[in-house]
Amino acid sequence: MSRPLSEFARYLRTETTGGLILLGATAAALLWANSPLRDSYHALRGFRLGPEFLHLNLTVGDWAKDGLLALFFFVAGLELKRELVVGELSRFKQAVLPIVAAIGGMVVPAVVALAVGWGTPGIERAWAIPVATDIAFALGVLALTASNLPSSARVFLLSLAVVDDLGAIIVIAVLFTTGFDLVAVAVAVVALALYAFLQHRRVRTPWLYVPLALITWVAVHSAGIHATIAGVALGLLTRVRGDEGEAEAPALRLEHRLQPWSAAVAVPLFALFAAGISVDADALGAVFTTALPLAVLAGLLVGKVVGILGASLLAVKLRVAEKPRGMGWRDLAALSVLGGVGFTVSLLIAELALPDEASELAKAAVLIASAGASLLAAALLLRRSKVHARIADTASSGAEPQTPAGGEPPGPPNSDTL
């Protein structure tokens, strides 16, 4: 049974709202960190709370990064599982293009970042910063600027971002695992196995699942693995097919309940404590004159576009995938630019990969690149939306199609013309 379009609309509305709140939180962080009250910002971000037991005496910034983002990754895990089992990624022909595009959109930015920053201290981990695409911001820009694009554009972008999240999760798990506590790993594995067993037995009470989720998070954190991986693992183990007589499958029910908290609370609070960087003239100048932030900029603004569009073009030309219905290469080019909005996961990787001073420069590069990609993609998507609107009006009126301003050839939007 195919996933209803209303479900995509619901997801889009939540992520659009979350994107706007995220933008507000980022602006608040930048203003606060560059105001006369900057000392209070850094004091709050560095304030420690929590028991020392199991290494949980963390700063507020770390609680946002390790705790709140676990909720974000849990929702991402639910979405990924549902896409793979009953959604767009469950059908081979529909799944191939966003998967190939996402892989291209991770590999090429990493290669570009390594090429630009080669020999710079920290680049051996910082190459991972531009591999991510931010779902909330990307879908928010798409919703605001591309109302006349076919629904396949939203499906393609959402599927690409979900696969991209999986890639980022793997990168975080492999690159940023510090130490390895076998006892804690064993506890996490047992808790996850019990969670999967309860799902299989159709147990529904939160009185079991909430403690299990907390035990899993603490165990993964104590094991030296980044705690957000616990959220992903739990999401992937959640049942996505509803039983007969069941109104909603557990994955869909949890997504409905938790996604607003993730999009409107968890991610914006993370941004509030992650995006508070100095934006004076010296700091901004360093972004454009230092190899490492330039590598991040190039990876997001150049590598993402080349990777997503190039991989898509290659897959279609080799006949291993098909273009989304109703979309042309110019539409895919605009969506590829939108892939350069790294933000949430890119900021997370910058914090994990680099020491404080280098991390600040890398995060400034992420913010600048994400803003630039958003504005350029918005302009391109607005133009494409107008083209699709004219084509739809022409088709409904039965009039002879006219060549649009700017020399765009008439014809269906899925023309192979670049």
Side-chain angles (χ1 to χ4, degrees):
M1 186 179 195
S2 64
R3 181 178 176 182
L5 289 178
S6 60
E7 182 59 28
F8 273 109
R10 184 204 59 78
Y11 191 96
L12 198 62
R13 282 195 300 273
T14 305
E15 292 298 345
T16 302
T17 304
L20 293 174
I21 298 172
L22 180 57
L23 187 60
T26 304
L30 290 170
L31 289 172
W32 191 0
N34 291 276
S35 73
L37 299 174
R38 66 175 67 88
D39 289 343
S40 67
Y41 174 82
H42 293 292
L44 178 59
R45 186 168 69 176
F47 181 76
R48 288 188 171 274
L49 68 159
E52 187 62 47
F53 180 61
L54 298 176
H55 313 291
L56 291 179
N57 183 230
L58 306 175
T59 66
V60 170
D62 285 337
W63 276 110
K65 178 177 63 181
D66 293 352
L68 291 176
L69 280 193
L71 176 60
F72 165 78
F73 277 102
F74 177 64
V75 174
L78 292 173
E79 182 64 21
L80 176 61
K81 174 74 175 287
R82 196 151 52 81
E83 286 291 327
L84 288 169
V85 176
V86 298
E88 294 301 318
L89 300 181
S90 66
R91 294 184 289 279
F92 182 76
K93 284 196 172 182
Q94 285 86 351
V96 170
L97 190 63
I99 290 174
V100 170
I103 293 171
M106 290 183 284
V107 172
V108 176
V111 171
V112 169
L114 279 171
V116 173
W118 189 257
T120 304
I123 194 63
E124 67 278 1
R125 286 157 70 90
W127 61 263
I129 296 171
V131 304
T133 293
D134 191 277
I135 294 177
F137 260 142
L139 288 176
V141 172
L142 183 69
L144 292 171
T145 60
S147 57
N148 293 307
L149 258 65
S151 60
S152 57
R154 295 165 176 81
V155 174
F156 173 81
L157 182 63
L158 179 57
S159 301
L160 182 147
V162 167
V163 177
D164 192 281
D165 272 349
L166 176 61
I169 290 158
I170 294 171
V171 167
I172 291 170
V174 172
L175 284 188
F176 306 113
T177 294
T178 57
F180 207 67
D181 187 322
L182 288 177
V183 174
V185 170
V187 172
V189 169
V190 170
L192 288 169
L194 183 54
Y195 181 95
F197 174 76
L198 292 173
Q199 284 287 298
H200 179 71
R201 299 295 296 178
R202 290 356 190 213
V203 175
R204 296 183 58 173
T205 175
W207 295 105
L208 289 175
Y209 287 119
V210 172
L212 270 179
L214 291 174
I215 290 169
T216 303
W217 182 87
V218 171
V220 170
H221 181 273
S222 300
I225 304 168
H226 196 266
T228 53
I229 302 302
V232 179
L234 290 166
L236 291 175
L237 290 173
T238 304
R239 185 164 54 88
V240 297
R241 292 188 187 276
D243 292 333
E244 187 176 351
E246 192 174 29
E248 289 180 322
L252 188 59
R253 185 169 62 251
L254 284 169
E255 200 177 324
H256 284 167
R257 291 178 180 177
L258 297 178
Q259 189 180 355
W261 291 99
S262 169
V265 178
V267 175
L269 279 176
F270 165 74
L272 181 66
F273 293 110
I277 59 173
S278 175
V279 291
D280 58 26
D282 291 340
L284 290 176
V287 172
F288 296 100
T289 57
T290 307
L292 195 145
L294 282 174
V296 174
L297 283 170
L300 285 171
L301 293 176
V302 178
K304 277 288 185 182
V305 180
V306 174
I308 294 173
L309 186 60
S312 299
L313 180 61
L314 186 63
V316 172
K317 294 301 181 184
L318 292 177
R319 300 184 184 278
V320 298
E322 297 176 354
K323 276 187 301 180
R325 186 175 62 256
M327 286 178 60
W329 287 115
R330 297 185 187 186
D331 302 319
L332 281 170
L335 293 176
S336 300
V337 175
L338 194 51
V341 181
F343 208 80
T344 304
V345 181
S346 290
L347 289 176
L348 172 62
I349 295 175
E351 288 207 344
L352 296 174
L354 300 167
D356 289 345
E357 187 175 347
S359 175
E360 294 290 292
L361 288 176
K363 288 195 285 186
V366 169
L367 295 177
I368 292 168
S370 296
S374 296
L375 293 173
L376 179 56
L380 294 173
L381 288 167
L382 282 170
R383 174 173 171 75
R384 295 308 304 161
S385 187
K386 290 177 181 178
V387 170
H388 281 269
R390 284 198 295 268
I391 292 170
D393 289 344
T394 300
S396 62
S397 65
E400 190 69 24
Q402 301 294 316
T403 300
E408 177 114 10
N414 61 343
S415 166
D416 284 338
T417 307
L418 273 171

